[in-house]
Amino acid sequence: MPVLPIAAVRKSAVTVLAVTLLLPFASFAQRLADTVIPEHYSLTLTPNLKAATFSGVESIEVSIKEPTTSITLNSAEIAYQSVEISAAGKTQTATVSLDKDKQQATFSVSNQIPAGAATLSIHYTGILNDELRGFYLSKGDHRNYAVTQFEPTDARRAFPSFDEPAFKATFNISLVVDKGDTAISNGPIIKDTPGPEADKHTLQFLTTPRMSTYLVAFLVGDFQCSSGSQDGVAIRVCSTPDKVKLTPYGVDIAKYVLHYYNNYFGIPYPLKKLDLIALPDFEAGAMENFGAITYRETDLLIDPKIASINAKKNVALVIAHEMAHQWFGDLVTMQWWNNIWLNEGFATWMENKPVAAMHPEWNIDQDVAADMDNTLNLDAQPTTRAIRAKADTPDEINQMFDGISYGKASDVLLTVENYEGKETFRRGVQKYLKAHLYGNATAEDFWNAQTAVSHKPVDKIMESLVAQPGVPLVSFGQPENGKVAVTQRRFYLTPSITPNPEQKWTIPICFKTATGQQCDLLTPATTSLKVPSGAVFFANAGGKGYYRSAYAPASYSALLTHVESDLTPPERINLIGDQWAQLRDNKTSITAYLQLAEVTKTDTNADVIDAAAGGVAALYERIAQTPKEKAALEIWTRNTYDAEYKKLPAPAEGESPNLTELRATLFGTLGSIGKDPYVIAEARTIADKYLANPDSVNPSLGNTALALAARNGDAALFDKLLHVYQTSSDPDRKVRALQLLALFENPKLTERALNLAVSDQVRNQDAAIEFAISLGNPATRDTAWKFIENNWEKVHAQLTTSSGSYVVGAASSFCSEQERNNVEQFFSTHKVDAADVALRHTIEHINGCIEQRALLQPSLRSWMDAQPGL
């Protein structure tokens, strides 16, 4: 399941906010005993969409290891009509006792059940909830749908089950639905029978392979689909009827990705069909149910004729991510949730490969480098965690779906692949998968397979990076006689924290050569490494190593001279990120950082410009406080980027995606940081034209112009965007318009946007993002905070079980002791579900900003003093 609608979309410096979408949280749990093992489930469910209820008839074939008089499984919000247990030719009626806190039901009988095979027969009812988890109601524009979201611990809300990933079983699923409706599940429909009532029909699905309960799916409604096939597999992309015209793009992506993965893994996709289904109400970005992947509409449905490059990338990457799970996660599943990174890290790493192959013009390698830089910053926070961490309760399990399991784990895999070589790493992946088909595995299983294939110490490298939290900072001396002195320590973005000198890593360091790279292994005992000759000294070839680099002055000076001529775009992004980290650590100056930004200003790659401008934006928003300080950075931005923007040709049909994105990035940077009056005026002109006719403006430039125009917008523009939100049938346009409303900096319009977010016009899956956008913008933050304080009941009513953490997290944009105290006090008395970790991170971020501002303001003033006329 991807973290981000966001996770897959890389955005320019003008974009306001990326909000991580986590999964729904539950409370409490306890591991089940392994003395009763499920083998097969037979499920017949009858949903009543009008009453928001369902009934279920279930049998579970189990294997009992030792005689017992009770069987405990998982159950939540289930009402039991009858339970019988049959074994050794005898059937007993069981009594049911419920433990709500543990989300368990215990079936007890009078006479002992012998070891061996047994069958549980259960009649029960449940609710189609409105919490976007379990078996729930998804509300379309014209009707409701009954759909599922089970990962990680919510299958138990739809059917009593052994709801843990290691309890794999096969499933026979039947759904009794209204005569005019259809249903989708993991397997294809094999039988459609009228009844049992005149207005019903019963759909029976093909038996599934062995799989975990969290991968089961069943969806009921009037879905319509576009179809295709690839390598003998039937592929459909489905939606509500009004959006089926937006499904063909997804079919084309899925066909390419399926063929790519069949070749890469050397294991053909194991099911007869693959459905990708867009749901109106869906909290996660997407969910990898085996053979029936579910999506937010914005992550699957798109009109490629009017969609921006980022929107097309997003859909392609999310599709590729979820399809990678069909092998990594579905076919082979982690033994327990503490190794969820085996699922999510791998899918995040893998998603880039087919998309890069299908669209080389999208420069996915640069996106990967930018994403790694963001993850390194996340992992440099004081309260980060190890990739593999304790996860027993649903709260703990849900909190594992974060930037560490997705981003850091993906980056560690990239580091190891780069060290081993792509083909060797692929053979290790194949060895791992083939050894655990339809089973479960651990981290050790994966890295032992890689070690065996590569004959390199991959086990030591991966254990070092997986078991320890934090980021290695590798400091290099000046290379001499084919060697370079090296030290390592843990890196923090907060300089006041003293790292533990005992914490060190075993990691490959790959130096750039004239023709590629030369790798050496850094261990805790290493004091020097071999370095190549004949090339500029750069210690992270390809920008693929999970570490920060610090260079000796002479080495850095040479890099600065050769950054545009000798480094690749991903390496430039890596260097910019390392220098920003050095600035955050107070080890370099704002003057030095801006010098690097100036050197790269002529770069023709949008992601490189975006990386450099991102640091300038942070200085503008977090460090510069007085009008004079902000004006100095505005002038610098205009002086640096205006000429580069004006060099670019006018938008033209058939131009490269990179040129399109470069234009939008420079335009956005000049408007948002440079406050260029010409750009701001032009943004409004382009925005009005784009709203009137989306075909008339390049969508990347149009979306950037809309964001700038909204920040500076009036009520007339607000009303136009509101109209788009209320009337558009294109999910991407609709949601983008909604989020743009939260950008308006006029306080009255900010309040209008916030009042809209607490109304029934906004889905609760989207409302928290509106609050978070307004909180994340310094110009609207105070208005948003007062609104939240004064309207907490309305705000809280719009938050889902997990989305409250978005609001708490967005409060991290504050940067003073008084604001920190206000945030901490407010959320201590206004509790938000599953947001305790988010609150700790928020307070930590505010404290970090306070420290950063105190440390860097003298550096900012020193830079200003050296600028003529300031």
Side-chain angles (χ1 to χ4, degrees):
M1 195 177 310
V3 173
L4 321 156
I6 59 185
V9 186
R10 288 80 177 190
K11 301 185 179 183
S12 67
V14 72
T15 303
V16 210
L17 185 68
V19 182
T20 297
L21 291 184
L22 301 177
L23 300 172
F25 281 71
S27 60
F28 308 105
Q30 181 172 310
R31 299 283 291 272
L32 297 172
D34 62 358
T35 54
V36 180
I37 307 298
E39 301 290 348
H40 179 75
Y41 293 78
S42 292
L43 289 168
T44 299
L45 295 111
T46 305
N48 183 330
L49 275 65
K50 291 181 180 178
T53 61
F54 65 92
S55 61
V57 178
E58 174 183 24
S59 70
I60 312 174
E61 297 172 20
V62 300
S63 175
I64 299 175
K65 291 185 178 180
E66 57 191 41
T68 182
T69 57
S70 65
I71 295 175
T72 297
L73 42 58
N74 295 112
S75 176
E77 299 175 349
I78 294 292
Y80 291 88
Q81 274 68 61
S82 66
V83 176
E84 293 181 335
I85 302 177
S86 301
K90 296 182 179 179
T91 298
Q92 300 183 69
T93 299
T95 59
V96 180
S97 59
L98 300 177
D99 189 324
K100 184 177 179 182
D101 289 342
K102 293 179 181 179
Q103 299 179 354
Q104 293 178 354
T106 298
F107 306 152
S108 301
V109 293
S110 301
N111 299 318
Q112 200 170 63
I113 309 165
T119 300
L120 314 182
S121 300
I122 307 165
H123 288 68
Y124 65 96
T125 59
I127 59 171
L128 295 173
N129 67 69
D130 59 358
E131 299 175 2
L132 310 186
R133 59 177 177 170
F135 199 12
Y136 71 91
L137 279 184
S138 182
K139 300 175 182 179
D141 293 334
H142 307 293
R143 57 158 294 169
N144 292 340
Y145 296 78
V147 302
T148 57
Q149 169 57 42
F150 291 158
E151 190 181 27
T153 58
D154 289 310
R156 63 195 65 175
R157 298 178 190 278
F159 57 98
S161 53
F162 297 83
D163 197 14
E164 296 182 3
F167 288 127
K168 286 195 165 186
T170 55
F171 295 81
N172 276 348
I173 295 170
S174 296
L175 290 164
V176 180
V177 302
D178 290 342
K179 205 169 185 178
D181 280 347
T182 189
I184 300 170
S185 189
N186 305 89
I189 297 171
I190 58 172
K191 193 173 184 181
D192 185 348
T193 307
E197 299 169 20
D199 59 347
K200 303 286 184 182
H201 65 133
T202 301
L203 300 173
Q204 183 180 344
F205 297 87
L206 184 68
T207 303
T208 72
R210 282 176 52 81
M211 64 185 196
S212 304
T213 49
Y214 79 87
L215 297 169
V216 174
F218 29 87
L219 320 165
V220 178
D222 57 353
F223 297 105
Q224 293 184 10
C225 312
S226 292
S227 302
S229 65
Q230 184 68 51
D231 297 353
V233 176
I235 296 173
R236 298 189 303 174
V237 175
C238 306
S239 70
T240 58
D242 55 320
K243 299 182 180 71
V244 70
K245 61 183 180 294
L246 302 174
T247 57
Y249 181 81
V251 174
D252 291 340
I253 298 293
K255 288 168 60 177
Y256 186 95
V257 171
L258 185 78
H259 183 68
Y260 185 97
Y261 286 165
N262 281 341
N263 288 335
Y264 184 91
F265 295 123
I267 301 169
Y269 174 75
L271 305 184
K272 293 181 180 295
K273 64 91 174 175
L274 175 64
D275 290 332
L276 294 74
I277 312 101
L279 303 177
D281 280 307
F282 193 72
E283 186 157 29
M287 175 62 213
E288 65 268 20
N289 314 301
F290 214 172
I293 306 171
T294 45
Y295 294 80
R296 269 194 180 217
E297 291 182 331
T298 50
D299 286 323
L300 183 61
L301 306 179
I302 200 169
D303 180 352
K305 293 179 181 178
I306 62 171
S308 67
I309 293 166
N310 270 340
K312 288 186 279 193
K313 270 189 192 181
N314 176 54
V315 169
L317 287 164
V318 176
I319 288 173
H321 182 106
E322 301 308 320
M323 288 180 63
H325 276 310
Q326 305 299 293
W327 285 264
F328 251 83
D330 297 6
L331 195 58
V332 178
T333 309
M334 74 277 147
Q335 184 74 21
W336 183 248
W337 298 105
N338 62 334
N339 274 319
I340 187 58
W341 70 273
L342 279 174
N343 287 14
E344 299 302 348
F346 188 90
T348 303
W349 168 80
M350 191 71 202
E351 69 187 35
N352 298 293
K353 288 184 174 294
V355 177
M358 188 177 189
H359 289 287
E361 74 279 9
W362 284 354
N363 296 330
I364 295 295
D365 59 339
Q366 296 179 40
D367 294 337
V368 170
D371 286 347
M372 181 183 286
D373 184 64
N374 291 335
T375 301
L376 287 164
N377 287 336
L378 170 70
D379 200 24
Q381 300 296 330
T383 58
T384 188
R385 66 169 181 84
I387 291 176
R388 182 166 61 183
K390 178 179 176 291
D392 291 327
T393 70
D395 268 8
E396 290 170 342
I397 292 166
N398 276 285
Q399 291 177 69
M400 297 292 285
F401 291 82
D402 62 5
I404 299 300
S405 288
Y406 288 74
K408 182 176 181 179
S410 168
D411 295 335
V412 167
L413 294 172
L414 180 65
T415 299
V416 173
E417 181 198 35
N418 186 54
Y419 174 58
E420 288 186 41
K422 291 183 178 180
E423 186 54 35
T424 301
F425 189 82
R426 183 169 82 115
R427 292 201 308 271
V429 168
Q430 292 177 345
K431 179 180 177 69
Y432 164 80
L433 288 173
K434 289 174 182 177
H436 301 283
L437 288 177
Y438 300 105
N440 297 85
T442 65
E444 287 78 6
D445 292 324
F446 180 79
W447 64 56
N448 287 342
Q450 291 292 343
T451 302
V453 169
S454 68
H455 306 293
K456 291 183 177 182
V458 174
D459 51 351
K460 292 181 173 59
I461 294 167
M462 291 199 71
E463 185 170 19
S464 171
L465 289 165
V466 168
Q468 295 189 94
V471 174
L473 170 64
V474 185
S475 298
F476 300 93
Q478 190 63 30
E480 189 175 8
N481 299 322
K483 290 189 175 182
V484 64
V486 61
T487 61
Q488 63 162 302
R489 68 170 175 87
R490 182 171 174 179
F491 174 74
Y492 289 99
L493 285 175
T494 305
S496 60
I497 297 176
T498 302
N500 178 358
E502 300 301 315
Q503 184 179 4
K504 295 186 178 182
W505 287 262
T506 297
I507 47 175
I509 305 296
C510 294
F511 299 99
K512 186 177 181 66
T513 68
T515 58
Q517 66 180 31
Q518 174 183 310
C519 300
D520 203 354
L521 193 65
L522 176 68
T523 72
T526 303
T527 58
S528 67
L529 295 170
K530 296 177 183 178
V531 295
S533 58
V536 64
F537 179 70
F538 183 70
N540 199 338
K544 295 177 179 179
Y546 193 77
Y547 50 89
R548 289 292 188 193
S549 302
Y551 297 95
S555 294
Y556 178 70
S557 179
L559 276 174
L560 197 63
T561 302
H562 294 91
V563 62
E564 283 296 315
S565 58
D566 289 25
L567 299 189
T568 65
E571 290 168 344
R572 290 173 213 151
I573 292 167
N574 176 266
L575 180 64
I576 291 167
D578 282 347
Q579 289 308 110
W580 174 253
Q582 289 289 293
L583 179 59
R584 285 287 306 268
D585 198 28
N586 203 32
K587 295 296 191 294
T588 190
S589 66
I590 287 177
T591 298
Y593 180 81
L594 293 178
Q595 183 183 17
L596 175 59
E598 286 188 46
V599 168
T600 59
K601 71 179 181 180
T602 60
D603 203 289
T604 57
N605 296 280
D607 287 311
V608 176
I609 298 297
D610 189 49
V616 181
L619 293 175
Y620 184 84
E621 293 184 353
R622 308 288 270 178
I623 308 304
Q625 292 304 294
T626 67
K628 185 177 181 181
E629 289 169 345
K630 288 189 177 294
L633 287 171
E634 290 167 6
I635 292 168
W636 179 91
T637 300
R638 295 196 296 270
N639 290 343
T640 302
Y641 294 115
D642 181 66
E644 304 308 316
Y645 173 68
K646 289 178 179 175
K647 286 179 187 176
L648 299 179
E653 191 76 27
E655 69 180 14
S656 72
N658 181 69
L659 177 57
T660 296
E661 291 303 296
L662 179 62
R663 182 186 299 107
T665 299
L666 288 169
F667 187 79
T669 299
L670 287 166
S672 61
I673 310 171
K675 307 299 181 189
D676 186 308
Y678 167 79
V679 168
I680 291 172
E682 183 68 9
R684 180 58 185 267
T685 301
I686 295 172
D688 286 338
K689 185 179 179 183
Y690 187 49
L691 286 174
N693 180 9
D695 291 330
S696 66
V697 177
N698 178 283
S700 295
L701 183 61
N703 286 325
T704 302
L706 276 171
L708 284 174
R711 284 175 180 248
N712 300 278
D714 54 16
L717 180 60
F718 189 99
D719 289 339
K720 288 181 182 180
L721 287 167
L722 180 60
H723 179 73
V724 172
Y725 172 67
Q726 292 172 334
T727 61
S728 178
S729 61
D730 183 320
D732 182 61
R733 271 198 99 205
K734 184 181 185 75
V735 171
R736 194 176 297 277
L738 177 65
Q739 294 179 357
L740 285 167
L741 294 175
L743 292 183
F744 282 76
E745 296 179 358
N746 179 308
K748 290 183 179 179
L749 298 177
T750 302
E751 286 205 22
R752 275 189 68 187
L754 293 167
N755 275 306
L756 177 68
V758 297
S759 74
D760 59 6
Q761 295 184 62
V762 175
R763 297 181 185 277
N764 55 11
Q765 68 180 22
D766 299 320
I769 299 176
E770 294 299 286
F771 305 134
I773 291 173
S774 294
L775 272 179
N777 182 356
T780 58
R781 182 173 57 213
D782 291 341
T783 301
W785 182 250
K786 288 177 183 176
F787 182 91
I788 289 169
E789 284 184 313
N790 295 334
N791 298 273
W792 178 245
E793 286 189 13
K794 293 180 181 179
V795 171
H796 190 258
Q798 279 288 77
L799 304 181
T800 63
T801 315
S802 72
S803 66
S805 62
Y806 313 161
V807 179
V808 175
S812 63
S813 65
F814 287 115
C815 195
S816 73
E817 292 183 8
Q818 182 61 53
E819 290 165 333
R820 177 201 62 204
N821 294 341
N822 289 345
V823 169
E824 192 167 24
Q825 182 177 6
F826 181 81
F827 287 121
S828 68
T829 56
H830 299 76
K831 296 294 184 181
V832 178
D833 291 342
D836 55 325
V837 173
L839 182 57
R840 287 201 301 271
H841 283 311
T842 291
I843 300 306
E844 182 180 279
H845 277 97
I846 297 173
N847 287 335
C849 183
I850 294 168
E851 179 178 346
Q852 181 189 11
R853 183 176 289 174
L855 289 172
L856 294 186
Q857 276 200 319
S859 183
L860 178 62
R861 288 192 288 269
S862 176
W863 169 76
M864 289 173 60
D865 290 343
Q867 305 306 302
L870 291 181

